[in-house]
Amino acid sequence: MNSTGTAVLASAQPPRKLWLDHVQEWLTTVDHKRIGLMYIGYALIFLVVAGVEALLMRIQLSAPDNHFLSPEVFNCMFTMHGTTMVFFVGMPILFGFGNYLVPLMIGARDMAFPRLNAFSFWISAFGGLLLYFSFLGGSGLYGAGSAPDVGWFAYAPLTAKLFSPGHSTDYWTLSILLSGIGSVGTALNLIVTIFTMRCKGMTMTRLPLLCWLYVVTSWLTFLALGPLTAAQIMLCLDRFAGSHFFDVQAGGSAVLWMHFFWIFGHPEVYILVLPAFAFANEIIPVFSRKPIFGYPAMVAASVLIGFISLGVWAHHMFTVGLGPEGNAFFTLATMIVSVPTGIKIFNWLATIWGGKIRFATPMLFSIGFLFQFLIAGLTGIMLSVAPFDWQLGNSYFVVAHFHYVLVGAILYMIFAAFYYWYPKMFGRMLSEKLGKWHFWLFTFGFHLTFDTMHIPGLLGMPRRVFTYPADRGWAMLNQIETVGGFIQAIALLLFVWNMIQSYRTGKEAGPDPWDAWTLEWATSSPPPHYNFAVDPVVHSRRPLWDRKHPESPDTHYE
Amino acid sequence: MQEHASLPRDAAKNAAAPHGETGIESIHLPSPTVWPMVLALGVTLLVAGLITNAAISLLGAVFAVAASVGWFRNVLPHERHEEVHAPVSAAERAAAVAASAGPRPAPAAAAHGQRRLTYSFLSGIEAGAAGGAAMALVATAFGMVRFHSLWYAINLMAASSFLSWSNASDAFLSGFHLQGLLAGLLIHMLISVLVGLLYAATMPIFPRLSLVAGGILGPLVWTGLAFSLTKSVAPLLGARVDWLWFIVSQIAFGLTAVWIVNLRIRFLSAEFQSLPFDQRAGLHSNEAQRSAASEVRQ
Ligand code: HEM
Ligand SMILES: [Cu+2]
């Protein structure tokens, strides 16, 4: 905005870059680091937007018979909140970190398909914009409806033209379709990059665990996004072309939609959680000063989780009435997921055990993650018992369960990842002091909100009600949840402030501020455009350890 | 930073400075391009038009087509690079995680490869013409042996466009018809040249497989396709074809075409076969990465 032609003429030697030059550089970049940062930045913006939507809902629910939001707006809010958080915060932020880190960690100069990478980012980004354009354009020609209001899983027949006139549902369908194209593109890119562009000496058994987890996540993305896209296209045909896939009156099936959605939806939650595991695998060892415990078991467990998570989707459909065989199968399958998941938790604990632990902010968030993920898994197992689910399905207990995972586990590891890799990305440390405030405040708010949320669920409060009568005894609990929500929001603001402030005044990080072991720390912070001037060569899983300790390299032990 | 399509693999430019000295590493990175973003915008608008206005879709389609063309031109025939100069100090070099084997020697065959890698349309057309001639010989031999006619085969070929000829008498098909000769020749030459081009483009990619794939497998698959197609589309015509002879004529085509392509590109030589895949396939991309990638697998 301060850019003028004269500025250039005036400046003497190095022609200062105009504001527009910077914009052009970012718009045309095919550099995996910049694309990664754009993914992350765009996800953070949507995180704030969807966070505001959550707070609006919390205000509405903080008192019985409240009229802060109308029922219609409330429906839009929970739909937009869920859709945004899953498709335009969770996936892009995780793909952003993957984009940034994977080539650096395997000693490559870029992703396998740099232009596809840019395309994938932009189409996801435009998908998000299209979704939010619905606030303006959702009424379409019919003057009915605004933002989508059919819930993040958009069950039939609610999405039929009859019940959802106007175009709000179409905005939901099409924006997810677009972002799905981007997700598949990035997944393809990550897999090919990891399989073909590892530096010399980096066999698959020396691959950083983060990259292994991105392989599994990317496979799940392939498998899950297909059914979702197919379902979205069928829904479009129903709505635009008069077909009847999900129209029960005309011989279609509403349950068909559920199957399609959840055969995407459950793998999707693992697509989101596996990168969180990935961060934990890198951060916990470095801050325990020990190599990861049981590398092969960790790889096997990750691959197993990927497989099993493809066969549990109907635990989201117990209340439909699956019949005894269906109930038994999906209960058992769901419970089996906890075996490899348990292996992981024990391995993380064993990594920490006896280590020389440094309680820096990344480690604090990782420890929070361990505890909270454990509890979330336990409520998950409770819900996997069909008769229990018949009581609590669609109640606030479920909402508490999945927020425990999505916030307590995934968002915690995302925070940890920021504190850990921000110095690499921007060359400056985040403030530890603000970081600790952020952690403790957020943890307090998180437990206030989401521990409490289990109780109204057990008391029978259904999810997605815009208000409740005073005589149910849920008011106090909901008030506590709302207060916790605002505390989390304040902590989040601290975090945003920390990122802005540290960018300008943070302590210089240097190439390797954490005394870490993987290749991204072998280059400068931020890394040069080409990552490594000389192609690295590795001989073990911890190349930087070998370099720092030539007297006792890992190669002797692996 | 300068943009250029990097054609020859300039080994000297890309080689690392000797161990321990300060040097400038010249690194090729894919050059920035706006087209992926424009394509994404185009696709988004294309879709958004469904729920706003058809004009938006039209605009999106224009963007998408323009971007696709732009993107193609960015990578074909050669990926566009920008060159970045990275200072490599002795310290940095030492800091490279472990001593690598010093300057990476240019792949031995690469220099030779440059000379030989002349993909021309011409070799494809030649291969098609020669293969087509070989095939015509076999087909004519078939006509002579079976129907004592020089014209039977070419008339049969013409019958694939004049379907009414499919149930004409053998006597009719054995006679000379100018119309049949012209139509048959045209069809035959067109298909031969197209397949010849395909051969010239694909055989060098997997030279070791070329004789089997281009000489035998391709003709068999093609025969299978033609067989099932005529069977369902033009059964009368299919019934007249002697499929054993047909296979022989196709193999004659295949082997001849492979032979001619090899005369031009010499892809059957050991020298050529030792080239990296991207060169054999006629692609050039970020060689630093490619050669690193090909060396890695242990
Ligand atoms: C790994 C990370 C996990 C995430 C991100 C996650 C997320 C979710 C989400 C979003 C839902 C609610 C969907 C909805 O109704 O809108 C849900 C429900 C459910 N989750 Fe999880 N979950 C995770 C792990 C688990 C585990 C480990 C189990 C069991 C071992 C589990 C069992 C269930 C069950 C049974 C339901 C269905 C509850 C119902 O709809 O009545 N989840 N989860
Ligand atoms: Cu699930």
Side-chain angles (χ1 to χ4, degrees):
Chain A
M1 289 174 244
N2 55 0
S3 70
T4 55
T6 51
V8 169
L9 293 177
S11 70
Q13 293 106 7
R16 230 185 68 224
K17 273 190 190 158
L18 298 179
W19 177 75
L20 266 178
D21 288 337
H22 286 291
V23 172
Q24 196 206 356
E25 270 182 16
W26 284 88
L27 289 187
T28 60
T29 188
V30 291
D31 176 1
H32 73 99
K33 296 181 290 301
R34 290 196 162 191
I35 293 173
L37 289 178
M38 288 199 291
Y39 259 124
I40 292 170
Y42 135 91
L44 282 178
I45 293 170
F46 275 121
L47 175 69
V48 172
V49 172
V52 169
E53 287 160 357
L55 288 181
L56 293 177
M57 285 188 283
R58 280 315 328 160
I59 296 175
Q60 165 64 18
L61 290 173
S62 63
D65 298 315
N66 199 355
H67 287 284
F68 176 70
L69 297 181
S70 70
E72 291 78 18
V73 173
F74 192 86
N75 289 351
C76 293
M77 285 299 117
F78 68 65
T79 304
M80 292 297 270
H81 168 77
T83 306
T84 309
M85 284 296 194
V86 170
F87 295 99
F88 301 106
V89 179
M91 300 200 56
I93 210 165
L94 299 167
F95 278 144
F97 273 102
N99 238 306
Y100 195 98
L101 294 173
V102 163
L104 283 168
M105 288 184 126
I106 63 174
R109 293 216 165 108
D110 207 321
M111 298 279 269
F113 308 118
R115 284 161 291 266
L116 174 66
N117 202 15
F119 172 75
S120 305
F121 164 72
W122 286 109
I123 199 157
S124 299
F126 291 136
L129 294 183
L130 185 66
L131 179 66
Y132 273 82
F133 183 72
S134 65
F135 276 106
L136 299 177
S139 44
L141 299 173
Y142 301 86
S146 158
D149 56 1
V150 288
W152 86 282
F153 46 62
Y155 274 180
L158 214 54
T159 48
K161 211 72 194 170
L162 183 61
F163 304 105
S164 173
H167 281 310
S168 63
T169 299
D170 302 318
Y171 276 94
W172 180 84
T173 308
L174 296 174
S175 61
I176 287 177
L177 201 74
L178 290 174
S179 97
I181 297 173
S183 304
V184 171
T186 300
L188 179 76
N189 225 333
L190 284 167
I191 287 202
V192 176
T193 305
I194 294 172
F195 281 173
T196 66
M197 297 185 52
R198 301 186 308 278
C199 71
K200 204 165 179 167
M202 186 170 286
T203 55
M204 285 305 271
T205 54
R206 291 181 189 152
L207 188 65
L209 279 176
L210 180 138
C211 302
W212 262 111
L213 278 149
Y214 270 96
V215 169
V216 180
T217 278
S218 302
W219 273 120
L220 284 181
T221 306
F222 286 157
L223 294 173
L225 273 263
L228 178 69
T229 307
Q232 305 287 18
I233 289 173
M234 287 190 254
L235 181 56
C236 277
L237 289 175
D238 272 15
R239 291 179 58 87
F240 286 109
S243 65
H244 302 287
F245 289 107
F246 308 120
D247 178 357
V248 180
Q249 312 289 316
S253 163
V255 174
L256 179 68
W257 171 269
M258 296 186 181
H259 280 296
F260 266 107
F261 188 86
W262 288 116
I263 207 166
F264 149 79
H266 187 84
E268 168 68 13
V269 306
Y270 279 89
I271 290 171
L272 295 174
V273 86
L274 290 175
F277 293 171
F279 304 154
N281 286 333
E282 299 303 322
I283 294 173
I284 290 178
V286 168
F287 289 86
S288 309
R289 310 311 299 154
K290 279 174 64 192
I292 189 88
F293 181 87
Y295 176 100
M298 285 303 238
V299 172
S302 311
V303 175
L304 261 181
I305 288 180
F307 269 113
I308 300 172
S309 74
L310 292 169
V312 302
W313 75 91
H315 65 213
H316 297 275
M317 298 165 58
F318 285 137
T319 48
V320 172
L322 296 174
E325 298 85 359
N327 288 336
F329 177 84
F330 285 104
T331 293
L332 280 175
T334 305
M335 287 186 169
I336 287 174
V337 184
S338 49
V339 176
T341 313
I343 293 180
K344 280 181 166 291
I345 294 194
F346 282 118
N347 279 8
W348 285 318
L349 289 178
T351 305
I352 298 176
W353 191 266
K356 209 170 120 205
I357 307 170
R358 293 190 305 205
F359 287 103
T361 313
M363 187 62 169
L364 290 180
F365 276 107
S366 304
I367 290 173
F369 153 81
L370 278 180
F371 277 103
Q372 285 146 201
F373 181 60
L374 176 66
I375 296 174
L378 292 179
T379 52
I381 292 183
M382 290 160 75
L383 286 169
S384 72
V385 181
F388 185 93
D389 190 73
W390 293 337
Q391 304 305 314
L392 289 176
N394 259 324
S395 78
Y396 260 88
F397 190 84
V398 172
V399 182
H401 155 70
F402 68 73
H403 281 86
Y404 235 85
V405 199
L406 294 163
V407 179
I410 300 173
L411 190 58
Y412 265 62
M413 277 325 296
I414 289 173
F415 285 145
F418 269 110
Y419 283 95
Y420 185 60
W421 280 295
Y422 182 98
K424 177 51 59 186
M425 294 168 172
F426 299 105
R428 290 180 189 272
M429 309 295 289
L430 283 170
S431 153
E432 271 292 302
K433 193 168 140 217
L434 277 175
K436 296 222 157 94
W437 271 99
H438 169 201
F439 172 75
W440 288 111
L441 211 57
F442 198 91
T443 303
F444 182 62
F446 169 79
H447 285 279
L448 215 53
T449 301
F450 293 109
D451 295 8
T452 313
M453 195 178 276
H454 290 89
I455 304 170
L458 290 168
L459 295 179
M461 178 171 171
R463 65 193 288 199
R464 292 178 174 167
V465 287
F466 91 104
T467 192
Y468 48 88
D471 59 4
R472 297 296 170 94
W474 303 335
M476 168 82 145
L477 294 163
N478 274 286
Q479 248 154 46
I480 295 175
E481 289 168 30
T482 302
V483 171
F486 276 92
I487 294 178
Q488 289 172 74
I490 294 169
L492 193 68
L493 287 181
L494 277 184
F495 169 63
V496 172
W497 173 244
N498 194 353
M499 291 214 289
I500 296 170
Q501 180 69 10
S502 301
Y503 182 74
R504 286 182 276 152
T505 62
K507 206 172 76 199
E508 291 274 350
D512 182 17
W514 306 113
D515 190 9
W517 304 310
T518 35
L519 281 180
E520 77 270 32
W521 306 104
T523 182
S524 59
S525 308
H529 185 14
Y530 43 83
N531 292 354
F532 303 97
V534 183
D535 288 334
V537 181
V538 304
H539 301 288
S540 78
R541 284 174 203 142
R542 298 194 302 165
L544 266 69
W545 170 274
D546 296 348
R547 188 169 102 200
K548 294 168 190 167
H549 304 273
E551 73 290 351
S552 167
D554 272 6
T555 30
H556 290 183
Y557 307 101
E558 270 172 18
Chain B
M1 297 193 191
Q2 78 228 38
E3 271 197 15
H4 64 103
S6 88
L7 233 177
R9 173 174 287 213
D10 189 338
K13 235 205 242 164
N14 220 43
H19 214 54
E21 281 169 30
T22 302
I24 296 282
E25 187 105 356
S26 165
I27 295 168
H28 282 175
L29 294 170
S31 55
T33 163
V34 78
W35 297 120
M37 194 264 270
V38 177
L39 183 62
L41 184 63
V43 174
T44 306
L45 292 181
L46 199 67
V47 164
L50 284 176
I51 41 182
T52 48
N53 190 304
I56 303 270
S57 286
L58 196 67
L59 183 66
V62 171
F63 277 14
V65 170
S68 306
V69 173
W71 188 331
F72 265 93
R73 292 174 52 107
N74 207 270
V75 288
L76 290 172
H78 300 290
E79 187 190 29
R80 243 179 249 162
H81 289 133
E82 65 179 15
E83 206 173 316
V84 184
H85 298 285
V88 185
S89 67
E92 262 179 298
R93 188 166 296 284
V97 175
S100 73
R104 170 175 299 130
H112 302 285
Q114 285 314 319
R115 219 168 358 95
R116 294 269 155 68
L117 283 178
T118 44
Y119 289 91
S120 64
F121 282 111
L122 212 58
S123 60
I125 293 171
E126 281 177 8
M135 179 178 152
L137 272 179
V138 177
T140 312
F142 156 73
M144 301 282 276
V145 172
R146 273 292 181 75
F147 299 96
H148 308 290
S149 157
L150 210 53
W151 311 111
Y152 189 87
I154 196 81
N155 282 334
L156 204 58
M157 178 69 94
S160 62
S161 58
F162 310 144
L163 276 185
S164 58
W165 284 19
S166 333
N167 49 2
S169 68
D170 282 341
F172 176 83
L173 287 183
S174 302
F176 173 81
H177 306 278
L178 184 62
Q179 208 185 2
L181 181 67
L182 290 181
L185 270 182
L186 195 72
I187 297 169
H188 179 61
M189 282 179 352
L190 193 70
I191 297 182
S192 297
V193 166
L194 285 178
V195 178
L197 285 170
L198 187 68
Y199 270 48
T202 53
M203 288 303 121
I205 299 179
F206 297 110
R208 267 175 266 264
L209 296 178
S210 62
L211 274 178
V212 178
I216 314 279
L217 227 54
L220 282 181
V221 169
W222 169 245
T223 306
L225 271 177
F227 179 73
S228 49
L229 210 68
T230 45
K231 207 165 170 139
S232 54
V233 178
L236 286 175
L237 180 65
R240 307 191 84 125
V241 178
D242 184 315
W243 292 99
L244 208 67
W245 277 91
F246 190 89
I247 290 179
V248 175
S249 72
Q250 299 304 309
I251 290 180
F253 178 100
L255 291 175
T256 314
V258 171
W259 178 56
I260 296 288
V261 176
N262 183 47
L263 270 187
R264 278 307 200 112
I265 309 185
R266 292 245 159 263
F267 64 87
L268 288 174
S269 65
E271 214 179 23
F272 185 97
Q273 295 190 10
S274 66
L275 287 177
F277 175 82
D278 57 344
Q279 293 211 352
R280 282 189 271 122
L283 304 167
H284 294 272
S285 45
N286 188 337
E287 48 256 53
Q289 283 177 1
R290 299 293 156 165
S291 53
S294 59
E295 273 173 42
V296 170
R297 296 317 97 58
Q298 303 171 332

